[in-house]
Amino acid sequence: MANILAIESSCDDTSAAVIINGNIHSNIIATQSIHESYGGVVPELASRAHQQYIVPVVQKALKEAKLAKNKLNAVAFTQGPGLLGSLLVGGSFAKSLALSLNIPLIGVHHMQAHVLSHFIDDPKPEFPFLCLTVSGGHTQLILVRDYLEMEILGQTKDDAVGEAFDKSAKLLGFPYPGGPEIDKHAKSGDATRFVFPSTEMPGLDYSFSGIKTAFLYFLRDEIKVDDNFVKENINDICASLQHTLVEMLMTKLLKAVNQTGVKHVAIAGGVSANSGLRNRVQVLGKENGWQSYIPKLEYCTDNAAMIALTAHYKYLKREFLSMEASAMPRMSFP
Ligand code: KG4
Ligand code: ZN
C-alpha cells in the first residue's frame, strides 16, 4: 500500500498529484499566466507564484483524492532540472511535509518523469522502447529499458525544439508560450510554401539554434519588402516552420529506430502536444512497422501526475532521499 503526494514546480506550473497504489487519484495544475506578457518565464516571478500557489494546490490535490495528510506514505518532488528558485519552493515544501509527517522523501528527475507519463493510462509501452522527449528545455532521444533504467542516445547540443517554437512565435508576435499558437495556425497553412534550412548534427544529436536565426533573417528580409508579410501569410509561415522542426525531429528518430532495432516508439514532453508531430509519428510508425505511443494532451506539458508515477516506482525500490543531505537540485540524468 503506497499513498504518495507528488509536487512539480520546475518551471511555471505549480502542480500536485496523489497516487494510490500506482493509480492517479488527483492531478491539480495552477498555470502562472503572469509570464505571458513578458514573452518568456521570469524566474523570480515564477518562484514567487509557486510560493503563493503551493499550499492551495496541495490541499486541493489531497481533497480531490479524498486522502488525509496523515495517510500519506511518502512525499515526492521534482528535484531537477529546472529553474533553481522554482525547484527550491517545491523541494523545501516537500521536505518540510515529509519531516513533519515522519515519512520518506522521494526526488524525481523531471525528464525521466516525462517519459514515464506513458504509464499513467493505457495503452502502456512495452520495454524496451524509444522515447523522443521534447520540451521547452530539452530534446532527447532516450532508450527506455525499464521504469528507472534509461539511456540518452542523442540530444540537442544547443536550444531545445520547444525553445525554437517559442522564440519563433515571439518574432511572429504571439504571447508566451507560442508553441501552441504556431500549431493552431499551422493547421490551415501550406507547409511547402517556405523552406527553412535545417541543421543536421552527427549521430543522434540535434541542433535548433540555426533554424531560429534563419527564421529571424527570413522575417526581417520579407518584412523589408512588405510590411504586412507576417499578417498576410501567418498560416503558411507557421505550417512551413512546424514542418521543418518536425522533420528534423523525425530524421533522428528514424535513425534511432534503425540503429537500435527497437520497434516501440513514444513521444513525451510539452512539444508532444503538437498536432503535426503527433500525426507524423503515427504515419511513420505505420510506414515503418513500429508501434507508436502518443500521450494524452493533459500529460504532455508539465504535471505532477508524472512525478507521482515515477515516485511510485522509486517507492517500490525504496529509493528515498536522506533528510540530512542537501536534496537540491539534481540536474544529471539518472
Ligand atoms: O514539458 P513542458 O510543459 O515544460 C518543460 O519541461 O519545458 O514543455 C513546454 C514547451 C513550450 O516550449 C511550449 O511552447 C511547448 O512545450 N508546447 C508546444 C505545444 N504545446 C506546448 N509546442 C508546439 N506545439 C504545441 N501544441
Ligand atoms: Zn517538462
PDB file of all heavy atoms in Angstrom, residues 261-286:
ATOM      1  N   GLY A 261      16.948  -1.099 -33.565  1.00  0.00           N
ATOM      2  CA  GLY A 261      16.026  -2.182 -33.896  1.00  0.00           C
ATOM      3  C   GLY A 261      14.809  -2.209 -32.972  1.00  0.00           C
ATOM      4  O   GLY A 261      13.976  -3.108 -33.042  1.00  0.00           O
ATOM      5  N   VAL A 262      14.683  -1.189 -32.116  1.00  0.00           N
ATOM      6  CA  VAL A 262      13.541  -1.132 -31.184  1.00  0.00           C
ATOM      7  C   VAL A 262      12.306  -0.651 -31.948  1.00  0.00           C
ATOM      8  O   VAL A 262      12.356   0.358 -32.648  1.00  0.00           O
ATOM      9  CB  VAL A 262      13.868  -0.177 -29.999  1.00  0.00           C
ATOM     10  CG1 VAL A 262      12.640   0.064 -29.143  1.00  0.00           C
ATOM     11  CG2 VAL A 262      14.993  -0.766 -29.163  1.00  0.00           C
ATOM     12  N   LYS A 263      11.206  -1.385 -31.817  1.00  0.00           N
ATOM     13  CA  LYS A 263      10.022  -1.104 -32.638  1.00  0.00           C
ATOM     14  C   LYS A 263       8.861  -0.515 -31.839  1.00  0.00           C
ATOM     15  O   LYS A 263       7.712  -0.550 -32.271  1.00  0.00           O
ATOM     16  CB  LYS A 263       9.563  -2.397 -33.327  1.00  0.00           C
ATOM     17  CG  LYS A 263      10.553  -2.919 -34.366  1.00  0.00           C
ATOM     18  CD  LYS A 263      10.427  -2.144 -35.666  1.00  0.00           C
ATOM     19  CE  LYS A 263      11.300  -2.753 -36.747  1.00  0.00           C
ATOM     20  NZ  LYS A 263      11.414  -1.906 -37.928  1.00  0.00           N
ATOM     21  N   HIS A 264       9.153  -0.023 -30.645  1.00  0.00           N
ATOM     22  CA  HIS A 264       8.126   0.667 -29.846  1.00  0.00           C
ATOM     23  C   HIS A 264       8.633   2.078 -29.636  1.00  0.00           C
ATOM     24  O   HIS A 264       9.725   2.275 -29.098  1.00  0.00           O
ATOM     25  CB  HIS A 264       7.901  -0.048 -28.517  1.00  0.00           C
ATOM     26  CG  HIS A 264       7.290  -1.402 -28.703  1.00  0.00           C
ATOM     27  ND1 HIS A 264       5.927  -1.624 -28.643  1.00  0.00           N
ATOM     28  CD2 HIS A 264       7.855  -2.593 -29.003  1.00  0.00           C
ATOM     29  CE1 HIS A 264       5.693  -2.890 -28.880  1.00  0.00           C
ATOM     30  NE2 HIS A 264       6.839  -3.514 -29.110  1.00  0.00           N
ATOM     31  N   VAL A 265       7.834   3.053 -30.093  1.00  0.00           N
ATOM     32  CA  VAL A 265       8.306   4.437 -30.113  1.00  0.00           C
ATOM     33  C   VAL A 265       7.290   5.360 -29.445  1.00  0.00           C
ATOM     34  O   VAL A 265       6.106   5.354 -29.801  1.00  0.00           O
ATOM     35  CB  VAL A 265       8.544   4.893 -31.575  1.00  0.00           C
ATOM     36  CG1 VAL A 265       8.927   6.361 -31.623  1.00  0.00           C
ATOM     37  CG2 VAL A 265       9.633   4.045 -32.224  1.00  0.00           C
ATOM     38  N   ALA A 266       7.769   6.147 -28.485  1.00  0.00           N
ATOM     39  CA  ALA A 266       6.879   7.076 -27.783  1.00  0.00           C
ATOM     40  C   ALA A 266       7.386   8.503 -27.943  1.00  0.00           C
ATOM     41  O   ALA A 266       8.569   8.717 -28.245  1.00  0.00           O
ATOM     42  CB  ALA A 266       6.849   6.710 -26.301  1.00  0.00           C
ATOM     43  N   ILE A 267       6.478   9.460 -27.749  1.00  0.00           N
ATOM     44  CA  ILE A 267       6.901  10.859 -27.663  1.00  0.00           C
ATOM     45  C   ILE A 267       6.397  11.388 -26.322  1.00  0.00           C
ATOM     46  O   ILE A 267       5.369  10.916 -25.810  1.00  0.00           O
ATOM     47  CB  ILE A 267       6.390  11.733 -28.842  1.00  0.00           C
ATOM     48  CG1 ILE A 267       4.864  11.612 -29.026  1.00  0.00           C
ATOM     49  CG2 ILE A 267       7.109  11.381 -30.130  1.00  0.00           C
ATOM     50  CD1 ILE A 267       4.286  12.598 -30.029  1.00  0.00           C
ATOM     51  N   ALA A 268       7.110  12.349 -25.754  1.00  0.00           N
ATOM     52  CA  ALA A 268       6.705  12.897 -24.454  1.00  0.00           C
ATOM     53  C   ALA A 268       7.190  14.330 -24.333  1.00  0.00           C
ATOM     54  O   ALA A 268       7.999  14.791 -25.139  1.00  0.00           O
ATOM     55  CB  ALA A 268       7.300  12.043 -23.335  1.00  0.00           C
ATOM     56  N   GLY A 269       6.672  15.055 -23.322  1.00  0.00           N
ATOM     57  CA  GLY A 269       7.074  16.448 -23.093  1.00  0.00           C
ATOM     58  C   GLY A 269       6.110  17.416 -23.767  1.00  0.00           C
ATOM     59  O   GLY A 269       5.288  17.007 -24.605  1.00  0.00           O
ATOM     60  N   GLY A 270       6.230  18.683 -23.420  1.00  0.00           N
ATOM     61  CA  GLY A 270       5.290  19.697 -23.896  1.00  0.00           C
ATOM     62  C   GLY A 270       5.069  19.717 -25.396  1.00  0.00           C
ATOM     63  O   GLY A 270       3.943  19.827 -25.877  1.00  0.00           O
ATOM     64  N   VAL A 271       6.157  19.586 -26.179  1.00  0.00           N
ATOM     65  CA  VAL A 271       6.029  19.674 -27.645  1.00  0.00           C
ATOM     66  C   VAL A 271       5.329  18.434 -28.226  1.00  0.00           C
ATOM     67  O   VAL A 271       4.838  18.460 -29.363  1.00  0.00           O
ATOM     68  CB  VAL A 271       7.421  19.930 -28.297  1.00  0.00           C
ATOM     69  CG1 VAL A 271       7.318  20.059 -29.802  1.00  0.00           C
ATOM     70  CG2 VAL A 271       8.064  21.196 -27.719  1.00  0.00           C
ATOM     71  N   SER A 272       5.209  17.367 -27.429  1.00  0.00           N
ATOM     72  CA  SER A 272       4.475  16.189 -27.939  1.00  0.00           C
ATOM     73  C   SER A 272       2.971  16.484 -28.027  1.00  0.00           C
ATOM     74  O   SER A 272       2.208  15.660 -28.530  1.00  0.00           O
ATOM     75  CB  SER A 272       4.756  14.940 -27.103  1.00  0.00           C
ATOM     76  OG  SER A 272       4.230  15.067 -25.806  1.00  0.00           O
ATOM     77  N   ALA A 273       2.557  17.672 -27.559  1.00  0.00           N
ATOM     78  CA  ALA A 273       1.158  18.102 -27.762  1.00  0.00           C
ATOM     79  C   ALA A 273       0.970  18.630 -29.185  1.00  0.00           C
ATOM     80  O   ALA A 273      -0.168  18.834 -29.629  1.00  0.00           O
ATOM     81  CB  ALA A 273       0.813  19.201 -26.763  1.00  0.00           C
ATOM     82  N   ASN A 274       2.064  18.831 -29.903  1.00  0.00           N
ATOM     83  CA  ASN A 274       1.965  19.413 -31.250  1.00  0.00           C
ATOM     84  C   ASN A 274       1.288  18.455 -32.228  1.00  0.00           C
ATOM     85  O   ASN A 274       1.719  17.309 -32.395  1.00  0.00           O
ATOM     86  CB  ASN A 274       3.381  19.770 -31.749  1.00  0.00           C
ATOM     87  CG  ASN A 274       3.340  20.431 -33.102  1.00  0.00           C
ATOM     88  OD1 ASN A 274       3.438  19.763 -34.118  1.00  0.00           O
ATOM     89  ND2 ASN A 274       3.170  21.733 -33.116  1.00  0.00           N
ATOM     90  N   SER A 275       0.246  18.952 -32.891  1.00  0.00           N
ATOM     91  CA  SER A 275      -0.555  18.055 -33.744  1.00  0.00           C
ATOM     92  C   SER A 275       0.247  17.542 -34.939  1.00  0.00           C
ATOM     93  O   SER A 275       0.091  16.387 -35.345  1.00  0.00           O
ATOM     94  CB  SER A 275      -1.831  18.762 -34.214  1.00  0.00           C
ATOM     95  OG  SER A 275      -1.492  19.913 -34.931  1.00  0.00           O
ATOM     96  N   GLY A 276       1.140  18.393 -35.480  1.00  0.00           N
ATOM     97  CA  GLY A 276       1.967  17.958 -36.609  1.00  0.00           C
ATOM     98  C   GLY A 276       2.884  16.816 -36.203  1.00  0.00           C
ATOM     99  O   GLY A 276       3.033  15.825 -36.930  1.00  0.00           O
ATOM    100  N   LEU A 277       3.486  16.921 -35.044  1.00  0.00           N
ATOM    101  CA  LEU A 277       4.397  15.875 -34.547  1.00  0.00           C
ATOM    102  C   LEU A 277       3.618  14.593 -34.244  1.00  0.00           C
ATOM    103  O   LEU A 277       4.049  13.485 -34.604  1.00  0.00           O
ATOM    104  CB  LEU A 277       5.122  16.378 -33.287  1.00  0.00           C
ATOM    105  CG  LEU A 277       6.045  15.373 -32.593  1.00  0.00           C
ATOM    106  CD1 LEU A 277       7.186  14.933 -33.511  1.00  0.00           C
ATOM    107  CD2 LEU A 277       6.629  15.960 -31.310  1.00  0.00           C
ATOM    108  N   ARG A 278       2.471  14.742 -33.602  1.00  0.00           N
ATOM    109  CA  ARG A 278       1.657  13.567 -33.244  1.00  0.00           C
ATOM    110  C   ARG A 278       1.261  12.784 -34.498  1.00  0.00           C
ATOM    111  O   ARG A 278       1.369  11.560 -34.537  1.00  0.00           O
ATOM    112  CB  ARG A 278       0.410  14.008 -32.460  1.00  0.00           C
ATOM    113  CG  ARG A 278       0.737  14.622 -31.118  1.00  0.00           C
ATOM    114  CD  ARG A 278      -0.444  15.341 -30.522  1.00  0.00           C
ATOM    115  NE  ARG A 278      -1.373  14.465 -29.834  1.00  0.00           N
ATOM    116  CZ  ARG A 278      -1.283  14.096 -28.560  1.00  0.00           C
ATOM    117  NH1 ARG A 278      -0.279  14.539 -27.834  1.00  0.00           N
ATOM    118  NH2 ARG A 278      -2.185  13.308 -28.010  1.00  0.00           N
ATOM    119  N   ASN A 279       0.828  13.532 -35.540  1.00  0.00           N
ATOM    120  CA  ASN A 279       0.415  12.856 -36.794  1.00  0.00           C
ATOM    121  C   ASN A 279       1.596  12.169 -37.454  1.00  0.00           C
ATOM    122  O   ASN A 279       1.493  11.031 -37.903  1.00  0.00           O
ATOM    123  CB  ASN A 279      -0.147  13.877 -37.799  1.00  0.00           C
ATOM    124  CG  ASN A 279      -1.478  14.403 -37.328  1.00  0.00           C
ATOM    125  OD1 ASN A 279      -2.133  13.765 -36.519  1.00  0.00           O
ATOM    126  ND2 ASN A 279      -1.860  15.585 -37.808  1.00  0.00           N
ATOM    127  N   ARG A 280       2.704  12.886 -37.527  1.00  0.00           N
ATOM    128  CA  ARG A 280       3.868  12.386 -38.251  1.00  0.00           C
ATOM    129  C   ARG A 280       4.418  11.101 -37.618  1.00  0.00           C
ATOM    130  O   ARG A 280       4.795  10.177 -38.321  1.00  0.00           O
ATOM    131  CB  ARG A 280       4.933  13.485 -38.257  1.00  0.00           C
ATOM    132  CG  ARG A 280       5.998  13.307 -39.271  1.00  0.00           C
ATOM    133  CD  ARG A 280       5.526  13.611 -40.688  1.00  0.00           C
ATOM    134  NE  ARG A 280       6.611  13.294 -41.599  1.00  0.00           N
ATOM    135  CZ  ARG A 280       6.605  12.287 -42.461  1.00  0.00           C
ATOM    136  NH1 ARG A 280       5.526  11.528 -42.582  1.00  0.00           N
ATOM    137  NH2 ARG A 280       7.645  12.051 -43.226  1.00  0.00           N
ATOM    138  N   VAL A 281       4.457  11.065 -36.278  1.00  0.00           N
ATOM    139  CA  VAL A 281       4.970   9.867 -35.593  1.00  0.00           C
ATOM    140  C   VAL A 281       4.068   8.672 -35.905  1.00  0.00           C
ATOM    141  O   VAL A 281       4.547   7.559 -36.152  1.00  0.00           O
ATOM    142  CB  VAL A 281       5.068  10.115 -34.062  1.00  0.00           C
ATOM    143  CG1 VAL A 281       5.338   8.816 -33.310  1.00  0.00           C
ATOM    144  CG2 VAL A 281       6.178  11.105 -33.761  1.00  0.00           C
ATOM    145  N   GLN A 282       2.767   8.915 -35.951  1.00  0.00           N
ATOM    146  CA  GLN A 282       1.846   7.808 -36.240  1.00  0.00           C
ATOM    147  C   GLN A 282       1.973   7.324 -37.678  1.00  0.00           C
ATOM    148  O   GLN A 282       1.998   6.133 -37.950  1.00  0.00           O
ATOM    149  CB  GLN A 282       0.411   8.230 -35.929  1.00  0.00           C
ATOM    150  CG  GLN A 282       0.132   8.081 -34.453  1.00  0.00           C
ATOM    151  CD  GLN A 282      -1.140   8.775 -34.001  1.00  0.00           C
ATOM    152  OE1 GLN A 282      -1.389   9.916 -34.386  1.00  0.00           O
ATOM    153  NE2 GLN A 282      -1.924   8.106 -33.213  1.00  0.00           N
ATOM    154  N   VAL A 283       2.086   8.288 -38.609  1.00  0.00           N
ATOM    155  CA  VAL A 283       2.224   7.934 -40.028  1.00  0.00           C
ATOM    156  C   VAL A 283       3.522   7.155 -40.252  1.00  0.00           C
ATOM    157  O   VAL A 283       3.529   6.094 -40.880  1.00  0.00           O
ATOM    158  CB  VAL A 283       2.177   9.209 -40.921  1.00  0.00           C
ATOM    159  CG1 VAL A 283       2.615   8.907 -42.332  1.00  0.00           C
ATOM    160  CG2 VAL A 283       0.781   9.820 -40.895  1.00  0.00           C
ATOM    161  N   LEU A 284       4.620   7.674 -39.710  1.00  0.00           N
ATOM    162  CA  LEU A 284       5.914   6.984 -39.867  1.00  0.00           C
ATOM    163  C   LEU A 284       5.894   5.614 -39.218  1.00  0.00           C
ATOM    164  O   LEU A 284       6.503   4.669 -39.724  1.00  0.00           O
ATOM    165  CB  LEU A 284       7.044   7.824 -39.263  1.00  0.00           C
ATOM    166  CG  LEU A 284       7.617   8.926 -40.134  1.00  0.00           C
ATOM    167  CD1 LEU A 284       8.756   9.643 -39.421  1.00  0.00           C
ATOM    168  CD2 LEU A 284       8.133   8.367 -41.468  1.00  0.00           C
ATOM    169  N   GLY A 285       5.187   5.496 -38.106  1.00  0.00           N
ATOM    170  CA  GLY A 285       5.055   4.205 -37.424  1.00  0.00           C
ATOM    171  C   GLY A 285       4.388   3.188 -38.334  1.00  0.00           C
ATOM    172  O   GLY A 285       4.847   2.049 -38.464  1.00  0.00           O
ATOM    173  N   LYS A 286       3.303   3.624 -38.978  1.00  0.00           N
ATOM    174  CA  LYS A 286       2.578   2.711 -39.891  1.00  0.00           C
ATOM    175  C   LYS A 286       3.466   2.318 -41.059  1.00  0.00           C
ATOM    176  O   LYS A 286       3.536   1.165 -41.453  1.00  0.00           O
ATOM    177  CB  LYS A 286       1.309   3.397 -40.404  1.00  0.00           C
ATOM    178  CG  LYS A 286       0.178   3.252 -39.417  1.00  0.00           C
ATOM    179  CD  LYS A 286      -1.169   3.613 -40.013  1.00  0.00           C
ATOM    180  CE  LYS A 286      -2.196   3.674 -38.883  1.00  0.00           C
ATOM    181  NZ  LYS A 286      -2.835   4.969 -38.760  1.00  0.00           N
TER     182      LYS A 286
END
